[in-house]
Amino acid sequence: MQLSDIVEDPAALLAAWPVEPIQWQHAPDHFDGLLTMGEVNEWVDSECLPLRNLELVEDGRLMERHEYQGNKGMPDPGRVRAHLAAGQTVSIRRLETAKPSVSRLARGIQELTGYDVQINAYVTPGGRQGFRYHYDPYATLILQVHGSKVWHVHPPVVENPTLEHGDFQQRGFTPEEQEHLAVTPPAASYVLDRGTAFWLPRGFIHAPIAEPGETSVHLTIAIRERTRHWVAARLATEILNLALTDPALRSVVPPVEMAAGPADVVGRMRAYLVGALLQLDPAEMAELTRRAAVRPA
């Protein structure tokens, strides 16, 4: 399966990155080649999935791994099954490292976009919720592979969040934002049935809840976009790597100068960086940046 099997017009999506949620409906068994409920049950009830690929969510928080670790550093199947029976969520992490069909999908999306891709599965008993309201610093493409889930969505409170700036894990919500979410109905709610694909741009606040009746399983394709800041960082890294090859730039700044305020060396290094940036070959740097973008993480 590739991106063209999921979204309606992949060329349009790649040309104009969507900034609003979108849904596409497919046949109920459309995503069975990626993951099925039967496979989930096999993983839950066996010791073949490494501990690093499994996370348990309890009342909106990630549990410590020692709480469900079994023999030989593997998850304890009994504890994981009991966790689900208690209505809590199980997350199978980095599924692209554990299943070939998912790996091919992740690699295909990365080659098309130049964006890093990670794919996780979330298993939530009917009528229950895993994570409370939060937002992600990347776009997500959600594939509902079993059961149904309702996604309550609010618009972003941080424009273009990234892992380095405005990430929910670092920032959380302000008291005013928490109060707003507590008393304000969602701006939109999306029902994902089996076979539904759902595009959620980065920054959108969401809180998915499994529909009553049966267990919900969905795949989250996390698409970590390359930003202009990311490109600037590649250029800066190239300049600094070249600078390390110059013995003069590896020489010591005298302590007396550093303690007094190294205005002279700051001025000279500023001039060096500006000159080095202007000397970079744009075509060569464009190719180096492209290769860095499609390189597997």
Side-chain angles (χ1 to χ4, degrees), residues 72-87:
K72 301 177 183 178
M74 303 295 279
D76 183 307
R79 293 184 191 179
V80 177
R81 179 57 69 184
H83 182 80
L84 279 172

Side-chain angles (χ1 to χ4, degrees), residues 253-262:
V253 177
V256 65
E257 183 178 354
M258 186 61 72

Side-chain angles (χ1 to χ4, degrees), residues 201-238:
R202 64 175 159 143
F204 273 78
I205 300 167
H206 55 282
I209 303 174
E211 291 273 68
E214 62 179 335
T215 296
S216 164
V217 180
H218 76 263
L219 294 174
T220 291
I221 304 174
I223 305 174
R224 303 178 188 275
E225 297 112 320
R226 309 302 189 188
T227 64
R228 286 167 173 78
H229 178 272
W230 183 88
V231 174
R234 303 285 77 71
L235 297 177
T237 298
E238 180 68 15

Side-chain angles (χ1 to χ4, degrees), residues 110 114 226 230 234 286-297:
Q110 182 165 0
R226 309 302 189 188
W230 183 88
R234 303 285 77 71
E287 176 58 20
L288 288 173
T289 302
R290 184 197 67 80
R291 279 188 282 175
V294 300
R295 187 182 304 125

Side-chain angles (χ1 to χ4, degrees), residues 1 33-34 43 95-107:
M1 179 169 289
L34 298 173
W43 270 329
L95 199 58
E96 76 278 5
T97 66
K99 197 162 189 286
S101 61
V102 179
S103 177
R104 288 191 291 271
L105 173 61
R107 186 63 184 156

